């Protein structure tokens, strides 16, 4: 068995692949994250992708692609990246894809078994028909291909606030708490959120298992919004942290309502 096939089929512990990477080969998406659980999980994701993806040129589909790549640069530099996005501004902002398609990821389809890796990062929470999207991903992945999803956790404190608050509040938060002056303008986050039931990690994993996808990494982590707030708005952050600790104490198990996001990597089973 050759090394690339062995890496694609050998089980690996979910969290052991996080290793330091020199800063000069980090993508902007990683450098922009504050220190904390989100950055550590993305480093782990990068290590898994570098270990599990086959050697040589790669074919990658990014479902919903703006100006930022979440790939490790070593992978990005040997990849042909195809982006599909419904927003023309996001397509114009993309500078790393070799093929950019203005289209709807719910309905756009590719030939079967075309891609080594599919990425859907901070996108599925905005999609009304997540089942259609995931079905398209399953079809377009090669055997042993990987699917990386990064999304908010609907059952977290931030997920509940996002789900039940109006969009204007999200824009206000981005502008006045995060300091993003252009938030809400065309092509700029935040975007309207739907939170289809399949965005919940347990539902997503069950759906994937029924379609021949195996979880090789999953991690719920503290949203990077918390360390951002602790730096920019320490009084507000202290109040929210105190409230979160109180809620955690009332919930069973080791639940942390500050775990506002997750990464999951799925592998398509096949020979």
């Amino acid at each position: 068995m050759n090394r690339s096939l062995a890496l694609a089929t050998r089980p690996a512990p979910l969290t052991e692949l996080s290793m330091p990477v020199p800063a000069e080969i980090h993508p902007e998406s990683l450098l922009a994250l504050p220190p904390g659980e989100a950055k550590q999980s993305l480093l782990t994701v990068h290590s898994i992708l570098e270990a599990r993806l086959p050697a040589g040129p790669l074919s990658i589909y990014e479902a919903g692609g703006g100006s930022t790549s979440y790939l490790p640069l070593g992978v990005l530099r040997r990849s042909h990246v195809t982006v599909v996005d419904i927003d023309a501004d996001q397509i114009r902002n993309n500078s790393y894809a070799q093929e950019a398609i203005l289209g709807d990821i719910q309905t756009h389809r590719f030939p079967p078994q075309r891609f080594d890796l599919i990425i859907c990062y901070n996108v599925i929470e905005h999609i009304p028909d997540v089942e259609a999207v995931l079905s398209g991903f399953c079809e377009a992945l090669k055997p042993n291909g990987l699917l990386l999803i990064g999304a908010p956790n609907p059952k977290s404190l931030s997920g509940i606030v996002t789900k039940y608050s109006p969009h204007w509040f999200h824009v206000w938060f981005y502008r006045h708490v995060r300091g993003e002056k252009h938030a809400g303008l065309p092509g700029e986050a935040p975007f309207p959120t739907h939170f289809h039931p399949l965005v919940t990690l347990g539902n997503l994993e069950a759906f994937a298992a029924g379609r021949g996808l195996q979880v090789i990494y999953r991690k719920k982590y503290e949203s990077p919004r918390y360390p951002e707030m602790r730096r920019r708005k320490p009084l507000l952050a202290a109040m929210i942290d105190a409230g979160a600790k109180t809620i955690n104490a009332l919930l069973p198990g080791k639940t942390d309502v500050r775990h506002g996001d997750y990464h999951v990597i799925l592998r398509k089973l096949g020979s």
Side-chain angles (χ1 to χ4, degrees):
M1 180 180 291
N2 65 40
R3 181 174 182 274
S4 62
L5 184 57
L7 286 171
T9 57
R10 186 181 62 209
L14 297 186
T15 57
E16 73 174 13
L17 292 171
S18 176
M19 298 180 291
V21 183
E24 64 270 15
I25 62 170
H26 288 340
E28 184 61 33
S29 59
L30 186 63
L31 296 175
L33 284 173
E37 295 179 9
K39 176 172 280 190
Q40 187 58 48
S41 184
L42 188 55
L43 277 169
T44 302
V45 166
H46 286 182
S47 297
I48 293 171
L49 295 182
E50 289 168 335
R52 294 284 189 128
L53 289 169
L58 299 169
S59 179
I60 295 178
Y61 168 29
E62 183 172 336
S67 59
T68 303
S69 171
Y70 291 88
L71 287 169
L73 295 186
V75 169
L76 185 63
R77 288 168 180 160
R78 60 188 179 93
S79 301
H80 182 280
V81 179
T82 300
V83 167
V84 177
D85 201 293
I86 201 169
D87 189 324
D89 291 299
Q90 292 282 25
I91 291 291
R92 282 191 291 269
N93 289 339
N94 189 288
S95 60
Y96 56 87
Q98 285 73 37
E99 182 179 7
I101 299 170
L102 183 63
D104 188 339
I105 66 172
Q106 297 170 105
T107 56
H108 192 88
R109 290 295 180 265
F110 291 98
Q113 302 185 13
R114 174 170 171 178
F115 296 105
D116 299 289
L117 171 65
I118 297 176
I119 302 169
C120 190
Y121 209 102
N122 294 336
V123 173
I124 62 170
E125 66 271 23
H126 304 293
I127 300 299
D129 192 353
V130 176
E131 183 172 353
V133 170
L134 295 176
S135 297
F137 292 168
C138 294
E139 182 178 342
L141 269 179
K142 297 177 181 179
N144 293 314
L146 302 181
L147 169 59
L148 165 62
I149 295 177
N153 174 15
K155 294 186 175 181
S156 67
L157 180 59
S158 58
I160 291 171
V161 170
T162 300
K163 183 174 182 177
Y164 293 105
S165 59
H167 184 64
W168 65 259
F169 177 78
H170 308 169
V171 175
W172 176 89
F173 181 88
Y174 270 63
R175 289 184 181 180
H176 299 284
V177 177
R178 298 192 62 192
E180 298 186 8
K181 297 179 180 179
H182 300 293
L185 297 178
E188 299 288 341
F191 304 104
T193 304
H194 291 278
F195 275 136
H196 185 283
L198 285 175
V199 178
T200 300
L201 186 54
N203 295 340
L204 172 61
E205 291 175 333
F207 181 90
R211 284 153 180 79
L213 298 178
Q214 173 194 40
V215 176
I216 63 171
Y217 178 74
R218 73 189 303 273
K219 177 68 175 178
K220 293 180 183 178
Y221 53 86
E222 183 184 72
S223 168
R225 305 294 82 81
Y226 286 96
E228 283 180 358
M229 281 192 293
R230 292 177 191 128
R231 177 176 58 85
R232 293 181 54 84
K233 305 285 185 180
L235 181 58
L236 175 62
M239 294 171 61
I240 294 175
D241 275 329
K245 289 178 181 178
T246 301
I247 296 171
N248 290 341
L250 298 173
L251 293 174
K254 297 182 178 180
T255 300
D256 190 338
V257 296
R258 288 170 294 193
H259 285 172
D261 297 279
Y262 64 80
H263 290 132
V264 62
I265 302 177
L266 303 155
R267 180 176 71 90
K268 183 176 180 179
L269 300 176
S271 56

